[in-house]
Structures are given as structure tokens and as C-alpha cells.
Amino acid sequence: MNWSTHISVIAFALGPVATSYAQEGGGQASERPTLELGLHAAGMRGDALSPFETRLLAGGTALVGPWGGWSLGPGLDLVWVDQEATTYMYSAIAQRAFRSIGGFEPFLAAGVGGWTNRIDIPGAHASESDWMVPLWAGARWSRRPDAAWGVRAAFRDVIVWEEVPCGCVEIGDGPTPATGDTSAVHNWGISAGVFVRLGGMSP
């Protein structure tokens, strides 16, 4: 789905654009926007990855905020499937953090973007992209609410809309699967990582 690739890249690019707009005029005067950089690792499994094996994922986020508890920005994840296949997940993310209690702060997040499977074998390269909606529910913890760094963990559901084969059509020398409707498949995982806040926070 080449159109999905292009639209997903646009959605990924809109993350920083939205944060710049909010920083200029959308925030509350009492809040000082910060850039929160996060790195995480996760174990995931699902129909778009593997329903029977847990795949390791690594990635990061760059969120600007908060404005009334909301932060916006891009996210990127990488899943190494094997020596020939790699999965990329990229999205624009909106995160809603709730009141911090002793440095413990729960949050919810959702996004929209693309899920790209890339295969690299000697003499050939191929990739396929589909729509993706990541959903997170988790919490982060720091020594105090205004600390510049901390740890975070989240439960994830990455929903991917895949094309569903519907029979075969005769093309060239033999039958080739024909695509039909799309189907939403869920990929579940638990992530853990660290975050660093730049600007507006005490060291």
C-alpha cells in the first residue's frame, strides 16, 4: 500500500509541527513547555508480528509539553525480526499525563502512523506499509514531580490495519493472492525505559 507509506510519513512529520504551534500560542501561561526525550524497550507479540513468539522492540519518543497535561510529538520503534526482516513503527503521538503523586504520574497515549515491514535479501529488497494506531497506558516515576529524569513503563496495544487476501488471481505463470478488505489486528506488549526532560525543569 504505497499510499499508506506516504500518508504515514506525513502523519509522522506533523508531530513536531503541532508541538511548535502549541509552543508559540497554544500553551497555558503558567506552564513552561519542556522537551521530554524517552528511550524504551519492549516485548511484543501479535498477528502482525508473531502470535506465538515474543519479539523485542526498541525505540524512543520526543514529546513537547505539557499544556493542560497534554504533550505532543513523534515516536519511532524498531523490531528486529530476523537477519532478513525488520519492522518499523512511526507515528505522531498525543500523551495525556495525570496528577503526579509523590513523583508517580500515570498517563495515557494514542497516535497515528505507519507500520512498515522491510525485507532485505541479497539482490532484492521489498517493503510493505499499513496504517497503525498505537495505544499506551502506563506510568512514570521520578524522585520528585519536577525532576529532570525518571523511569517509565507502559502496557501497549498496537493496532495494525492489514490487507486480507481473498482468493487468487491468475497473473503471469501462476496464481497470485489477491487482496481484499483490511482487517485490524492487535499486537500487545509491555515496555520499560527512561526519560529526560530538557528545559523548564530543575536538575
Side-chain angles (χ1 to χ4, degrees), residues 28-138:
Q28 299 178 2
S30 61
E31 295 180 315
R32 298 179 60 187
T34 65
L35 172 63
E36 181 179 302
L37 301 177
L39 293 175
H40 55 257
M44 294 195 72
R45 66 169 55 191
D47 291 338
L49 283 171
S50 173
F52 307 110
E53 297 181 15
T54 300
R55 303 294 188 184
L56 294 179
L57 171 153
T61 55
L63 304 178
V64 178
W67 299 281
W70 289 95
S71 299
L72 305 171
L76 176 65
D77 292 293
L78 173 67
V79 182
W80 186 77
V81 181
D82 55 37
Q83 294 182 351
E84 299 176 348
T86 307
T87 297
Y88 301 90
M89 293 179 276
Y90 40 95
S91 59
I93 300 169
Q95 177 177 284
R96 178 65 167 92
F98 299 93
R99 183 180 299 274
S100 175
I101 303 175
F104 179 84
E105 187 177 55
F107 65 85
L108 297 174
V112 61
W115 172 290
T116 297
N117 292 315
R118 181 174 176 85
I119 298 177
D120 294 293
I121 58 178
H125 306 279
S127 64
E128 181 179 357
S129 298
D130 296 295
W131 279 105
M132 177 192 75
V133 172
L135 304 174
W136 306 347

Side-chain angles (χ1 to χ4, degrees), residues 9-24:
V9 171
I10 293 173
F12 179 71
L14 284 178
V17 174
T19 59
S20 298
Y21 170 80
Q23 187 172 8
E24 290 177 1

Side-chain angles (χ1 to χ4, degrees), residues 102-200:
F104 179 84
E105 187 177 55
F107 65 85
L108 297 174
V112 61
W115 172 290
T116 297
N117 292 315
R118 181 174 176 85
I119 298 177
D120 294 293
I121 58 178
H125 306 279
S127 64
E128 181 179 357
S129 298
D130 296 295
W131 279 105
M132 177 192 75
V133 172
L135 304 174
W136 306 347
R140 52 191 179 188
W141 179 87
S142 54
R143 292 181 298 122
R144 57 182 185 273
D146 63 344
W149 67 276
V151 296
R152 58 185 287 161
F155 175 78
R156 297 176 172 226
D157 178 14
V158 179
I159 307 172
V160 181
W161 276 263
E162 291 186 326
E163 289 187 343
V164 179
C166 59
C168 295
V169 294
E170 291 291 336
I171 299 178
D173 298 330
T176 300
T179 57
D181 296 332
T182 58
S183 176
V185 297
H186 294 265
N187 302 272
W188 312 94
I190 297 177
S191 65
V194 298
F195 68 88
V196 176
R197 297 186 180 112
L198 303 178

